[in-house]
Amino acid sequence: MLRSLTRTALRQGARISHRAIATTAVRPADASDLTIQEREQIYPKLGNRDIVGYGFNGNPVYIDREEWPAPAVRFRENTAEVQALRAKEQGDWKALTLEEKKGLYRASFRQTYAEMTAPTGEWKTVIAGLLLGLSFTGWVLIWMKTCVYPPMPRTITKEWQVAQAERMVKQRQGAVLGISSQWDYEKNEWK
Amino acid sequence: MLRSVASRLGSAVCSAARTNVQRTCAVTQVRYRHDVEESAEEFDNRYEAFFNRQDVDGWDIRKAMNDLQGLDLVPEPRIIVAALKACRRVNDYALAVRYMEAVQNKCGDKVGEIWPYLRQEIKPTLDELGILTPEEMGYDKPELAVEDVMDM
């Protein structure tokens, strides 16, 4: 009894380790192989679209990106007219009109590259917002100056500073290395 | 009893480990070397051969196109020709036009110099398969003003 139990347990253990090691790159089943319930559950937003590629990390999503020319899902659902175009696509492509070719393109892709890279004009909004912000801070500054800060000290004027320098020279402050060392007392001017 | 269990356990573990080792070895039959640099010529040959495979399908084509788009190069005309022919084999017209657009995008600001050369090189194939260039499709300028997904 114990022996048979052990054997079974070992067999199961060995199988698990085999499975863990045997990793094969299996292509996920085409969505058309799934039943409707499975499809609804796994890809709730897919609708009647074809999954035609691997996608980002295996997620079949549609996205227009310049560095990703072929998304994993076709953009439009397989409606009757698209199916008719696909049937015609099987034949000679020279027989397709320009409209049909455009229809095929738009069935697979949402935007062309030119539309993806087209300028949006968004920079104008950005600049406008930036200038608005700057002018607002300017108004805040003006308000602070008029209503919040006390008046500037009387020493801030040019006349006051000149008079102070004169006074320091007259008092011979810094006669060796300071301000008075720069003053020529014989000629009464700066050296 | 314990001894018999232990000996069975040991032998079973050994055999399991042996089979595992054999299997793992069998998985990596190709040895990838990192000291050999692939030349540009070999690279082009590789992708051309990939697109020219007779059993190539839409998955493979898309994968190769996306990979090529991520590299710092503009594909050689012969790769583009092979890709267009592969699109023909899987009956995907849209993908062919899309790929030419992608290549144009890949030319960057040199598109005025590189794309005329590429177009001249792939022109016979385009005529043979009945593919229109993006310009002929009217896709060199924005056709529709669809809303940006970021604004929705």
Coordinates of all heavy atoms in Angstrom, one line a residue, chain B residues 98-152:
Chain B
R98 N 1.0 49.6 -45.3 CA 1.4 50.0 -44.0 C 2.9 49.9 -43.9 O 3.5 50.7 -43.3 CB 0.7 49.1 -43.0 CG 1.0 49.4 -41.6 CD 0.3 50.6 -41.1 NE 0.2 50.7 -39.6 CZ -0.5 51.6 -39.0 NH1 -1.2 52.5 -39.7 NH2 -0.6 51.6 -37.7
Y99 N 3.4 48.8 -44.4 CA 4.9 48.6 -44.3 C 5.7 49.7 -45.0 O 6.7 50.2 -44.5 CB 5.3 47.2 -44.7 CG 6.7 47.0 -44.3 CD1 7.1 47.1 -43.0 CD2 7.7 46.6 -45.2 CE1 8.4 46.9 -42.6 CE2 9.0 46.5 -44.9 CZ 9.4 46.6 -43.5 OH 10.7 46.5 -43.2
M100 N 5.2 50.1 -46.2 CA 5.9 51.1 -46.9 C 5.8 52.4 -46.1 O 6.8 53.2 -46.1 CB 5.2 51.3 -48.3 CG 5.7 50.2 -49.3 SD 5.2 50.6 -50.9 CE 3.5 50.2 -50.9
E101 N 4.7 52.7 -45.5 CA 4.6 53.9 -44.7 C 5.6 53.8 -43.5 O 6.3 54.8 -43.2 CB 3.2 54.0 -44.1 CG 2.2 54.5 -45.0 CD 0.9 54.7 -44.2 OE1 0.2 53.7 -44.0 OE2 0.6 55.8 -43.9
A102 N 5.7 52.6 -43.0 CA 6.6 52.4 -41.8 C 8.1 52.7 -42.3 O 8.8 53.3 -41.6 CB 6.5 51.0 -41.2
V103 N 8.4 52.2 -43.5 CA 9.7 52.4 -44.0 C 10.0 53.9 -44.2 O 11.1 54.4 -43.9 CB 9.9 51.6 -45.3 CG1 11.2 52.0 -46.0 CG2 10.0 50.1 -45.0
Q104 N 9.0 54.5 -44.8 CA 9.2 56.0 -45.0 C 9.4 56.7 -43.6 O 10.3 57.6 -43.5 CB 7.9 56.6 -45.6 CG 7.7 56.4 -47.0 CD 6.5 57.0 -47.6 OE1 5.5 57.1 -46.8 NE2 6.5 57.3 -48.8
N105 N 8.7 56.3 -42.6 CA 8.8 56.8 -41.3 C 10.3 56.6 -40.8 O 10.9 57.4 -40.1 CB 7.8 56.3 -40.4 CG 7.9 56.8 -39.0 OD1 8.6 56.3 -38.1 ND2 7.3 58.0 -38.8
K106 N 10.8 55.4 -41.1 CA 12.1 55.0 -40.7 C 13.2 55.8 -41.3 O 14.3 55.9 -40.8 CB 12.3 53.5 -41.1 CG 13.2 52.7 -40.2 CD 12.7 52.6 -38.8 CE 13.9 52.3 -38.0 NZ 13.8 52.6 -36.6
C107 N 12.9 56.4 -42.5 CA 13.9 57.3 -43.2 C 14.1 58.5 -42.4 O 15.1 59.2 -42.6 CB 13.4 57.6 -44.6 SG 13.3 56.2 -45.7
G108 N 13.2 58.9 -41.5 CA 13.4 60.1 -40.7 C 13.5 61.3 -41.5 O 12.7 61.5 -42.5
D109 N 14.4 62.2 -41.2 CA 14.5 63.5 -42.0 C 15.2 63.3 -43.3 O 15.3 64.3 -44.0 CB 15.1 64.6 -41.1 CG 16.5 64.2 -40.6 OD1 16.9 63.0 -40.9 OD2 17.1 64.9 -39.9
K110 N 15.7 62.1 -43.6 CA 16.3 61.9 -44.9 C 15.3 61.3 -45.9 O 15.8 60.6 -46.8 CB 17.5 60.9 -44.7 CG 18.6 61.5 -43.9 CD 19.6 62.3 -44.7 CE 20.9 62.6 -44.0 NZ 20.7 63.4 -42.7
V111 N 14.1 61.4 -45.6 CA 13.1 60.7 -46.4 C 13.1 61.2 -47.8 O 12.9 60.4 -48.8 CB 11.7 60.8 -45.7 CG1 11.2 62.2 -45.8 CG2 10.7 59.9 -46.4
G112 N 13.5 62.5 -48.0 CA 13.6 63.0 -49.3 C 14.7 62.4 -50.2 O 14.6 62.3 -51.4
E113 N 15.7 61.9 -49.5 CA 16.8 61.2 -50.2 C 16.6 59.7 -50.4 O 16.9 59.2 -51.4 CB 18.1 61.5 -49.5 CG 18.5 62.9 -49.3 CD 19.6 63.1 -48.3 OE1 20.5 62.2 -48.3 OE2 19.6 64.1 -47.6
I114 N 16.2 59.1 -49.3 CA 16.2 57.6 -49.3 C 14.9 57.1 -50.0 O 15.0 56.1 -50.7 CB 16.3 57.1 -47.8 CG1 17.5 57.7 -47.1 CG2 16.3 55.6 -47.8 CD1 17.6 57.3 -45.7
W115 N 13.8 57.7 -49.7 CA 12.5 57.1 -50.2 C 12.5 57.0 -51.7 O 12.1 56.0 -52.3 CB 11.3 57.7 -49.6 CG 10.0 57.2 -50.1 CD1 9.1 57.9 -50.9 CD2 9.5 55.9 -50.1 NE1 8.1 57.1 -51.3 CE2 8.3 55.9 -50.8 CE3 10.0 54.7 -49.5 CZ2 7.6 54.7 -51.0 CZ3 9.2 53.6 -49.7 CH2 8.0 53.6 -50.4
P116 N 12.9 58.1 -52.4 CA 12.9 58.0 -53.9 C 13.7 56.8 -54.4 O 13.3 56.1 -55.4 CB 13.4 59.3 -54.4 CG 13.1 60.3 -53.3 CD 13.2 59.5 -52.0
Y117 N 14.9 56.6 -53.8 CA 15.7 55.5 -54.2 C 15.0 54.1 -53.9 O 14.9 53.3 -54.8 CB 17.0 55.5 -53.4 CG 17.7 54.2 -53.4 CD1 18.4 53.7 -54.5 CD2 17.8 53.4 -52.2 CE1 19.0 52.5 -54.5 CE2 18.4 52.2 -52.2 CZ 19.1 51.7 -53.3 OH 19.7 50.5 -53.3
L118 N 14.4 54.0 -52.7 CA 13.7 52.8 -52.4 C 12.5 52.5 -53.3 O 12.3 51.4 -53.8 CB 13.2 52.8 -50.9 CG 14.2 52.8 -49.8 CD1 13.5 53.0 -48.5 CD2 15.0 51.5 -49.8
R119 N 11.8 53.6 -53.6 CA 10.6 53.5 -54.5 C 11.0 53.0 -55.8 O 10.4 52.2 -56.4 CB 9.9 54.8 -54.5 CG 8.5 54.7 -55.2 CD 7.8 56.0 -55.2 NE 8.7 57.1 -55.6 CZ 8.5 58.4 -55.3 NH1 7.5 58.7 -54.6 NH2 9.4 59.3 -55.6
Q120 N 12.1 53.6 -56.3 CA 12.6 53.2 -57.6 C 13.0 51.7 -57.6 O 12.8 51.0 -58.6 CB 13.8 54.1 -58.0 CG 14.7 53.6 -59.1 CD 16.1 54.2 -59.0 OE1 16.3 55.3 -58.5 NE2 17.1 53.4 -59.3
E121 N 13.6 51.3 -56.5 CA 14.0 49.9 -56.5 C 12.8 48.9 -56.4 O 12.9 47.8 -56.9 CB 14.9 49.6 -55.3 CG 16.2 50.4 -55.4 CD 17.1 49.8 -56.5 OE1 17.3 48.6 -56.5 OE2 17.6 50.6 -57.3
I122 N 11.8 49.3 -55.6 CA 10.7 48.4 -55.4 C 9.6 48.6 -56.4 O 8.6 47.8 -56.4 CB 10.1 48.5 -54.0 CG1 9.5 49.8 -53.7 CG2 11.1 48.2 -52.9 CD1 8.8 50.0 -52.4
K123 N 9.7 49.6 -57.3 CA 8.7 49.9 -58.3 C 8.2 48.7 -59.1 O 7.0 48.4 -59.3 CB 9.2 51.0 -59.2 CG 8.1 51.6 -60.1 CD 7.1 52.5 -59.2 CE 6.0 52.9 -60.1 NZ 4.8 53.3 -59.3
P124 N 9.2 47.9 -59.7 CA 8.7 46.7 -60.4 C 7.8 45.8 -59.7 O 6.8 45.3 -60.2 CB 10.1 46.0 -60.8 CG 11.1 47.1 -60.7 CD 10.6 48.0 -59.7
T125 N 8.2 45.5 -58.4 CA 7.3 44.7 -57.6 C 6.0 45.3 -57.3 O 5.0 44.6 -57.4 CB 8.0 44.4 -56.2 OG1 9.4 44.1 -56.4 CG2 7.4 43.3 -55.5
L126 N 6.0 46.6 -57.1 CA 4.7 47.2 -56.9 C 3.8 47.1 -58.1 O 2.6 46.8 -58.0 CB 4.9 48.7 -56.6 CG 5.6 49.1 -55.3 CD1 5.8 50.6 -55.1 CD2 4.9 48.5 -54.1
D127 N 4.4 47.3 -59.3 CA 3.6 47.2 -60.5 C 3.1 45.8 -60.7 O 2.0 45.5 -61.1 CB 4.4 47.7 -61.7 CG 4.7 49.2 -61.6 OD1 4.0 49.8 -60.8 OD2 5.6 49.6 -62.2
E128 N 4.0 44.8 -60.4 CA 3.7 43.4 -60.6 C 2.5 43.0 -59.7 O 1.6 42.3 -60.1 CB 4.9 42.6 -60.3 CG 4.7 41.1 -60.5 CD 5.8 40.3 -59.8 OE1 6.9 40.9 -59.7 OE2 5.6 39.2 -59.3
L129 N 2.5 43.5 -58.4 CA 1.5 43.0 -57.5 C 0.3 43.9 -57.5 O -0.7 43.6 -56.9 CB 2.1 42.9 -56.1 CG 3.3 42.0 -55.9 CD1 3.8 42.0 -54.5 CD2 2.9 40.6 -56.3
G130 N 0.4 45.1 -58.1 CA -0.7 46.0 -58.1 C -0.9 46.8 -56.7 O -2.0 47.0 -56.3
I131 N 0.3 47.0 -56.1 CA 0.2 47.8 -54.8 C 0.5 49.3 -55.1 O 1.4 49.6 -56.0 CB 1.3 47.3 -53.9 CG1 1.2 45.8 -53.6 CG2 1.3 48.0 -52.5 CD1 2.3 45.2 -52.8
L132 N -0.2 50.1 -54.5 CA 0.0 51.6 -54.7 C 0.9 52.0 -53.6 O 0.8 51.6 -52.4 CB -1.3 52.3 -54.6 CG -2.4 52.0 -55.7 CD1 -3.6 52.8 -55.5 CD2 -1.8 52.2 -57.1
T133 N 1.8 53.0 -53.9 CA 2.6 53.6 -52.8 C 1.7 54.4 -51.9 O 0.6 54.8 -52.3 CB 3.7 54.5 -53.4 OG1 3.1 55.5 -54.2 CG2 4.6 53.7 -54.3
P134 N 2.2 54.7 -50.7 CA 1.4 55.6 -49.9 C 1.0 56.9 -50.5 O -0.1 57.4 -50.3 CB 2.3 55.8 -48.7 CG 3.1 54.6 -48.6 CD 3.3 54.2 -50.0
E135 N 1.9 57.5 -51.4 CA 1.6 58.7 -52.0 C 0.4 58.5 -53.0 O -0.5 59.3 -53.1 CB 2.8 59.2 -52.8 CG 3.9 59.7 -52.0 CD 4.9 58.6 -51.7 OE1 4.5 57.4 -51.8 OE2 6.0 58.9 -51.3
E136 N 0.4 57.4 -53.7 CA -0.6 57.1 -54.7 C -1.9 56.8 -54.0 O -3.0 57.1 -54.5 CB -0.3 56.0 -55.6 CG 0.8 56.3 -56.6 CD 1.5 55.1 -57.2 OE1 1.3 54.0 -56.6 OE2 2.1 55.2 -58.2
M137 N -1.8 56.3 -52.8 CA -3.1 56.1 -52.0 C -3.6 57.4 -51.4 O -4.7 57.4 -50.8 CB -2.8 55.1 -50.8 CG -2.4 53.7 -51.2 SD -3.8 52.7 -51.5 CE -4.5 52.4 -49.8
G138 N -2.8 58.4 -51.5 CA -3.2 59.7 -50.8 C -2.8 59.7 -49.4 O -3.4 60.5 -48.6
Y139 N -1.9 58.8 -48.9 CA -1.6 58.8 -47.5 C -0.4 59.5 -47.1 O 0.1 59.4 -46.0 CB -1.5 57.3 -47.1 CG -2.8 56.6 -47.0 CD1 -2.9 55.2 -46.9 CD2 -4.0 57.3 -47.1 CE1 -4.1 54.5 -46.9 CE2 -5.2 56.6 -47.0 CZ -5.2 55.2 -46.9 OH -6.4 54.6 -46.9
D140 N 0.2 60.3 -48.1 CA 1.4 61.1 -47.7 C 0.9 62.3 -46.9 O 1.7 62.9 -46.2 CB 2.2 61.5 -48.9 CG 1.3 62.2 -50.0 OD1 0.1 61.9 -49.9 OD2 1.8 62.9 -50.8
K141 N -0.4 62.7 -47.0 CA -0.9 63.7 -46.2 C -2.0 63.1 -45.3 O -2.6 62.1 -45.8 CB -1.4 64.8 -47.0 CG -0.4 65.6 -47.8 CD -1.0 66.7 -48.6 CE 0.1 67.4 -49.4 NZ 0.7 66.5 -50.4
P142 N -2.3 63.7 -44.2 CA -3.4 63.2 -43.4 C -4.7 63.2 -44.2 O -5.1 64.2 -44.8 CB -3.5 64.2 -42.2 CG -2.2 64.8 -42.1 CD -1.6 64.8 -43.5
E143 N -5.4 62.1 -44.2 CA -6.7 62.0 -45.0 C -7.8 62.3 -44.0 O -8.7 63.1 -44.4 CB -6.8 60.6 -45.6 CG -8.0 60.5 -46.5 CD -8.2 59.1 -47.0 OE1 -8.1 58.2 -46.1 OE2 -8.3 58.9 -48.2
L144 N -7.9 61.7 -42.9 CA -9.0 61.9 -41.9 C -8.4 62.6 -40.7 O -7.2 62.4 -40.4 CB -9.6 60.6 -41.5 CG -10.0 59.6 -42.6 CD1 -10.4 58.3 -42.0 CD2 -11.1 60.2 -43.4
A145 N -9.2 63.4 -40.1 CA -8.8 64.0 -38.8 C -9.4 63.2 -37.7 O -10.4 63.7 -37.1 CB -9.2 65.5 -38.8
V146 N -9.0 62.0 -37.4 CA -9.6 61.2 -36.3 C -9.0 61.7 -35.0 O -7.9 62.2 -34.9 CB -9.3 59.7 -36.5 CG1 -10.1 59.2 -37.7 CG2 -7.8 59.5 -36.7
E147 N -9.9 61.6 -34.0 CA -9.5 62.1 -32.7 C -8.4 61.2 -32.1 O -8.3 60.0 -32.3 CB -10.7 62.0 -31.8 CG -10.6 62.8 -30.5 CD -11.8 62.6 -29.7 OE1 -12.7 61.8 -30.0 OE2 -11.9 63.2 -28.6
D148 N -7.5 61.9 -31.4 CA -6.4 61.3 -30.8 C -7.0 60.4 -29.6 O -7.8 60.9 -28.9 CB -5.4 62.3 -30.2 CG -4.1 61.7 -29.8 OD1 -4.2 60.5 -29.4 OD2 -3.1 62.4 -29.8
V149 N -6.4 59.2 -29.5 CA -7.0 58.4 -28.4 C -6.7 59.0 -27.0 O -7.4 58.7 -26.0 CB -6.3 57.0 -28.4 CG1 -7.0 56.1 -29.4 CG2 -4.9 57.0 -28.7
M150 N -5.7 59.8 -26.9 CA -5.4 60.4 -25.6 C -6.4 61.5 -25.3 O -6.4 61.9 -24.1 CB -4.0 61.1 -25.7 CG -2.9 60.1 -25.8 SD -2.9 58.9 -24.5 CE -1.5 57.8 -24.9
D151 N -7.2 62.0 -26.2 CA -8.1 63.0 -26.0 C -9.5 62.5 -25.7 O -10.5 63.2 -25.5 CB -8.2 64.0 -27.2 CG -6.9 64.7 -27.4 OD1 -6.1 64.7 -26.4 OD2 -6.6 65.2 -28.5
M152 N -9.7 61.1 -25.8 CA -11.0 60.6 -25.7 C -11.5 60.5 -24.2 O -10.7 60.3 -23.3 CB -11.1 59.2 -26.2 CG -11.0 59.2 -27.7 SD -11.0 57.6 -28.4 CE -10.8 57.9 -30.1

